[in-house]
Amino acid sequence: MHGPAVSGWLLVTLCGATGAYCLVRMRSCSGQAREAAGGDALMGLGMAAMAVPAAVFALPRWVWVMYATVFGAAALRALLPSRRGTHHLHHLVGSLAMVYMAVAMPSGAAHAGHPAAGIPLLTGGLLAYYTMYVLRSGVRLVPLAPPAGGAAAIPWGDRPELAPACRLAMGLAMLAMLLTL
């Protein structure tokens, strides 16, 4: 990722922790919830790897091709289920955004007289999508009523509030990464 190294490492930490939690969540669920957790884990860990600051560790071109291939396959896998629900549609958009960034990031950076990488109209559309997604997700996290009956010991993988919080964190990270294009 191009930009300040501190923000890059913060994104690596945030996305890595989110991806790791989604892997834990995969162990405690089944069916579509497990599939969604796997998609979230792939996205979080892929974003963590992509956010490593370019000034610290410049990735070879073949790694970017690998990113584009993996997330292109993830987009194809999310294409058919995207008709069933908005979460699958979000995975499709996220996977395509990752392909776009994998193609645009190694080609240049928007700093010190270099032209911006990527297509401004497409980057703007993705920024608008993720801005709306983050705002909508943030509003959904606000509790409407206190939990009834007290808090019982719930395993980390089964906490209902953490999956949307992870998706919100990944949406914010995607916004930050798109802003660097």
Side-chain angles (χ1 to χ4, degrees):
M1 188 180 94
H2 303 286
V6 172
S7 62
W9 286 118
L10 288 173
L11 281 175
V12 169
T13 304
L14 175 69
C15 294
T18 301
Y21 169 73
C22 291
L23 286 175
V24 169
R25 198 173 84 223
M26 275 183 70
R27 291 179 27 176
S28 65
C29 55
S30 61
Q32 286 187 346
R34 183 179 175 98
E35 188 177 319
D40 290 341
L42 174 68
M43 187 67 66
L45 295 174
M47 288 173 65
M50 193 179 277
V52 172
V56 175
F57 181 67
L59 297 173
R61 196 161 208 53
W62 66 267
V63 172
W64 295 104
V65 172
M66 183 183 70
Y67 283 152
T69 303
V70 167
F71 285 102
L76 287 175
R77 190 170 185 326
L79 187 60
L80 290 177
S82 67
R83 296 182 205 167
R84 283 186 275 145
T86 58
H87 185 69
H88 290 289
L89 184 60
H90 176 70
H91 273 271
L92 176 64
V93 172
S95 295
L96 291 173
M98 292 291 283
V99 170
Y100 170 63
M101 287 190 298
V103 170
M105 277 190 176
S107 65
H111 61 75
H114 291 91
I119 303 166
L121 186 61
L122 183 55
T123 303
L126 287 169
L127 284 168
Y129 171 80
Y130 277 102
T131 299
M132 295 305 297
Y133 177 80
V134 164
L135 292 173
R136 192 184 86 220
S137 297
V139 167
R140 287 182 176 178
L141 280 178
V142 176
L144 299 177
I154 300 173
W156 279 102
D158 296 337
R159 293 182 169 271
E161 72 277 7
L162 289 181
C166 285
R167 291 184 190 117
L168 175 63
M170 285 191 293
L172 286 168
M174 186 69 80
L175 272 172
M177 291 173 75
L178 285 166
L179 284 171
T180 65
L181 286 182

